[in-house]
Amino acid sequence: MTLYGVRRFRAAFTADPRHPNTSKGNVDQQPRVRAQHRYATLQSARCHPQRGSFLAALVFGAASISPVSNAPAKIAHVLTAITRAVSPALAQCELTFVERQPVDLAKAQQQHTAYERLLAKLGIHVHSMAAEPELPDSMFVEDPAIVLDELAVILPLGTKSRQPEAESLAKALAPFRKLAYIAAPTAIEGGDVLRIDRTLYVGQTTRTNAEGVRQLAAILGPHNYRVVPVPVTGCLHLKSAVTYLGGNTLLANRLWFDNAPFANFQWIEVDPTEPHAANALAIADTVIFPASFPKTRARIEAAGFLVTPLDISELQKAESGLTCSSLIFTT
């Protein structure tokens, strides 16, 4: 199996007792086994356990973080993440629902690197794009694109200062997916799109409007995806208020969005003292979760989920969650 632009570093990660998803055994082999289960759960097999036989088709090697190459990718059934380094201008990022605070850039960069390394430890091939000095929010690669099995959809972002982010991200995705585009001047951001199997719940927020939802539905309809609009208040994106953990279970602050479209799901409510704690990144049997929300973490663990805490306290000053810093898909 060949993956252009990726260097492998098998000795770079060791078993870490702080992260319960790792073992004390061979850390080169363990992520391969666990990553197979992770992919099936990350996508539709999390909703349909009967599809577990699909795991037999997955082959994962030890992962690394590498610069993105625009050369054609020769990959077979690999779970891939695209990330982007923290912009040196992060302190000038767009803010909507949090107060601006001083940002320690070096600490923010360290926390983002730890995030990338955790993804790699979980068996994901991480492609890290270079920082964009003129684009403060550009590390949030989830917002300019949606990546599905059949295609990637490039999105016109809801703030003018962020719109240039999409061009370089489209180039990074082109080796992996056919590209479709939602036409400006409408607005839609990936942070508003919660995919569960073949349904995309799309938040209607200050960053995503009804025309953006309509165009997305028109593009995805021929691929048998269902698009469901969800009114959102009180937070930046839909996934600021609700994320999917697997097992038909949502983690949510239900005060911030219309719950009606999710009537058939089970709920874990965030602790009332931690209203911003609804954004988690579920990779199969591991839930990556901000270390700054211990009370909500206890609720997730009480429901039977394995939680790996991660310190993103400096990035949270930029209104960051965990899902927004990567695009994860199979190739």
Side-chain angles (χ1 to χ4, degrees), residues 19-328:
H19 299 302
N21 53 284
T22 63
S23 74
K24 295 181 180 179
N26 186 323
V27 296
D28 178 32
Q29 297 298 323
Q30 185 71 4
R32 297 187 189 189
V33 178
R34 298 177 68 86
Q36 295 179 21
H37 175 58
R38 282 186 185 98
Y39 170 66
T41 305
L42 179 67
Q43 301 294 351
S44 60
R46 282 194 295 177
C47 304
H48 301 281
Q50 67 270 24
R51 296 180 187 171
S53 60
F54 179 64
L55 295 173
L58 301 179
V59 180
F60 290 98
S64 65
I65 302 170
S66 72
V68 166
S69 168
N70 286 328
K74 296 182 180 180
I75 317 169
H77 304 299
V78 175
L79 193 60
T80 295
I82 289 181
T83 63
R84 198 197 306 261
V86 176
S87 172
L90 180 65
Q92 284 75 54
C93 66
E94 296 280 348
L95 294 176
T96 306
F97 288 91
V98 300
E99 296 288 334
R100 192 171 299 277
Q101 304 176 57
V103 174
D104 184 328
L105 179 61
K107 186 176 181 181
Q109 291 168 332
Q110 291 168 3
Q111 290 178 353
H112 186 59
T113 297
Y115 172 86
E116 292 176 317
R117 289 183 174 179
L118 179 54
L119 294 181
K121 188 180 291 186
L122 293 174
I124 300 172
H125 286 265
V126 179
H127 295 248
S128 185
M129 300 172 65
E132 292 279 4
E134 305 300 320
L135 299 173
D137 293 276
S138 54
M139 66 167 285
F140 304 127
V141 294
E142 177 186 57
D143 291 330
I146 302 165
V147 185
L148 303 172
D149 296 340
E150 299 84 357
L151 77 168
V153 184
I154 308 303
L155 310 175
L157 297 175
T159 54
K160 186 175 181 179
S161 66
R162 295 197 61 189
Q163 290 170 359
E165 297 173 24
E167 182 179 359
S168 59
L169 191 59
K171 291 178 180 178
L173 288 169
F176 301 104
R177 290 291 190 275
K178 172 185 174 182
L179 302 182
Y181 290 81
I182 290 182
T186 191
I188 182 169
E189 296 191 354
D192 277 319
V193 181
L194 175 61
R195 179 190 173 187
I196 304 176
D197 197 11
R198 300 194 74 81
T199 298
L200 279 69
Y201 299 92
V202 184
Q204 293 180 303
T205 65
T206 59
R207 302 290 183 89
T208 297
N209 59 32
E211 175 61 16
V213 178
R214 187 198 67 78
Q215 287 193 36
L216 182 65
I219 291 171
L220 298 185
H223 299 284
N224 297 314
Y225 286 96
R226 187 168 68 107
V227 174
V228 178
V230 182
V232 176
T233 58
C235 60
L236 181 64
H237 289 132
L238 176 62
K239 281 188 288 193
S240 305
V242 56
T243 46
Y244 184 63
L245 301 183
N248 203 48
T249 302
L250 298 169
L251 172 66
N253 181 337
R254 297 174 71 178
L255 298 177
W256 286 353
F257 65 100
D258 182 2
N259 301 174
F262 302 98
N264 295 323
F265 291 92
Q266 299 175 1
W267 300 89
I268 298 174
E269 303 271 3
V270 301
D271 189 273
T273 64
E274 299 172 344
H276 294 276
N279 186 269
L281 178 57
I283 311 286
D285 58 348
T286 297
V287 176
I288 306 174
F289 191 70
S292 52
F293 301 127
K295 294 179 181 179
T296 301
R297 173 189 172 185
R299 293 185 176 205
I300 300 170
E301 291 174 330
F305 292 91
L306 179 65
V307 178
T308 295
L310 188 67
D311 182 11
I312 59 166
S313 55
E314 209 63 27
L315 299 172
Q316 287 171 321
K317 295 177 182 179
E319 216 160 358
S320 174
L322 283 164
T323 61
C324 58
S325 296
S326 61
L327 283 168
I328 300 176

